[in-house]
Amino acid sequence: MTDGTSVSCKPLRETSAIAPCNHEEDSRMMVHVTDAFHSGYKKIQIRSVDTDVVVLGVSTVSELGSGLELWAAFGTGKDFRLISAHEIAASLGPMRCYALPMFPSLTGCDTTSYFQHIGKRTAWKIWKLSDMLTIALCSLHKDPNNLQDNILQTVERFVILLYDRTSSIECIDDARKGLFVRKGRHLSLLPPTKAALYQHILRSILQAGFHWGRLTSKSCDLPSPGLCGWTSPEKWKPMWTLLPDAASSCKELIHCRCRSRCIDCKCAQAGLKCIAFRTCKGDCENI
């Protein structure tokens, strides 16, 4: 039984392999699975209603190797079922299992945001078609401190395909522009900007690379959230982007309803000259 970072056992036994532990509840279960396996148990069952625990179980059983049967008692009531994590691991293969914890973190989990209107099934189908994404996610899992440009480009391409499967564009900002201008997509149906995606990737790495990436170890060395897409140490909040908001950075889009002269309106206050986008007569006081 866990007791803070320590473990209480009855009868008493050696607990140095599982305590002190700084994992959260979901990944801490995998530490106990690892300890049980190394203690000689070959059939282990875990209990959870969290899909992330099942994902972590599949990755853990693949890492521990053959000989382990890991069952997840998942759900409640009529939705209760036993999930064979070891069979799923065998069907996915070691490389995809190793990259697996990065998938829910990148596409949305308890600590990272979801891509709006993009479900896990859609993301999974796109991932199955991309071996390069598997390699990129494995790299982030293995060395979360090393976020290389080619990895960023691979993840960026993956996100573009989530929103437009026929796109051949490599830059997500260009994809946003194309979907908005040529296809008339609503703003809520556009992928994030490159700057926003970068912060999202950092948060995903913190969760899956630094935290979930050490499932078989009793402790994980976590960096400051301030270095991984979070801000405000007093109460951590996501750093959505480093770009200024459109209202302050695109003043050219400001317009008013003046019919004669812009004297005391938003255009005058912003110090903007008359352009065709506005309806004034061109004799504004602020020119």
Side-chain angles (χ1 to χ4, degrees):
M1 181 177 66
T2 60
D3 181 16
T5 60
S6 62
V7 175
S8 299
C9 295
K10 188 177 182 180
L12 296 177
R13 54 155 290 191
E14 173 62 39
T15 60
S16 60
I18 53 178
C21 180
N22 65 346
H23 281 270
E24 294 179 356
E25 180 180 0
D26 49 3
S27 55
R28 191 167 186 175
M29 295 174 69
M30 302 305 118
V31 176
H32 286 267
V33 167
T34 302
D35 178 60
F37 177 70
H38 290 318
S39 298
Y41 295 93
K42 303 302 181 183
K43 293 184 179 181
I44 303 172
Q45 178 177 297
I46 57 178
R47 177 78 174 91
S48 180
V49 295
D50 189 346
T51 54
D52 289 341
V53 172
V54 179
V55 169
L56 299 182
V58 172
S59 182
T60 299
V61 73
S62 176
E63 184 174 347
L64 292 177
S66 61
L68 172 61
E69 288 188 18
L70 181 62
W71 296 87
F74 182 78
T76 59
K78 64 179 182 180
D79 295 322
F80 175 82
R81 59 190 183 276
L82 283 174
I83 299 176
S84 174
H86 53 284
E87 291 182 357
I88 297 175
S91 65
L92 292 178
M95 194 168 185
R96 195 174 291 270
C97 285
Y98 188 74
L100 193 58
M102 282 298 306
F103 177 75
S105 179
L106 183 62
T107 56
C109 64
D110 291 343
T111 59
T112 61
S113 54
Y114 291 76
F115 296 108
Q116 191 168 11
H117 302 294
I118 303 296
K120 286 287 195 295
R121 289 186 179 183
T122 299
W124 183 265
K125 290 177 181 178
I126 299 298
W127 182 21
K128 289 175 66 176
L129 301 175
S130 176
D131 292 334
M132 291 299 298
L133 181 64
T134 302
I135 295 173
L137 297 184
C138 285
S139 298
L140 293 178
H141 187 151
K142 182 179 181 180
D143 188 5
N145 287 302
N146 189 18
L147 180 56
Q148 300 178 0
D149 289 341
N150 63 320
I151 296 177
L152 283 172
Q153 292 169 1
T154 300
V155 176
E156 186 175 349
R157 175 64 182 158
F158 166 68
V159 177
I160 292 173
L161 292 176
L162 292 181
Y163 288 85
D164 186 0
R165 296 192 186 188
T166 63
S167 176
S168 59
I169 299 176
E170 300 291 336
C171 176
I172 197 166
D173 286 338
D174 292 340
R176 277 173 58 87
K177 180 180 178 181
L179 290 173
F180 180 72
V181 175
R182 291 193 293 273
K183 297 191 176 183
R185 287 277 188 93
H186 188 272
L187 290 176
S188 65
L189 300 177
L190 297 179
T193 63
K194 188 169 186 175
L197 179 60
Y198 179 72
Q199 297 299 323
H200 176 77
I201 293 173
L202 291 180
R203 289 189 292 274
S204 301
I205 292 173
L206 176 62
Q207 179 63 55
F210 287 101
H211 193 175
W212 289 346
R214 304 297 177 265
L215 294 174
T216 58
S217 174
K218 67 179 180 180
S219 62
C220 44
D221 186 14
L222 300 175
S224 169
L227 302 175
C228 301
W230 295 85
T231 186
S232 300
E234 297 79 13
K235 186 177 181 181
W236 292 108
K237 300 178 181 178
M239 171 66 76
W240 297 116
T241 182
L242 295 178
L243 292 177
D245 60 273
S248 60
S249 61
C250 299
K251 293 184 177 180
E252 294 83 358
L253 299 180
I254 297 175
H255 68 284
C256 63
R257 299 181 182 276
C258 298
R259 297 297 179 181
S260 58
R261 295 189 303 166
C262 294
I263 299 176
D264 192 26
C265 63
K266 292 184 291 184
C267 300
Q269 294 171 3
L272 299 179
K273 296 183 178 182
C274 290
I275 59 175
F277 187 64
R278 294 192 284 275
T279 57
C280 56
K281 302 300 183 181
D283 55 350
C284 298
E285 295 291 333
N286 61 307
I287 297 180

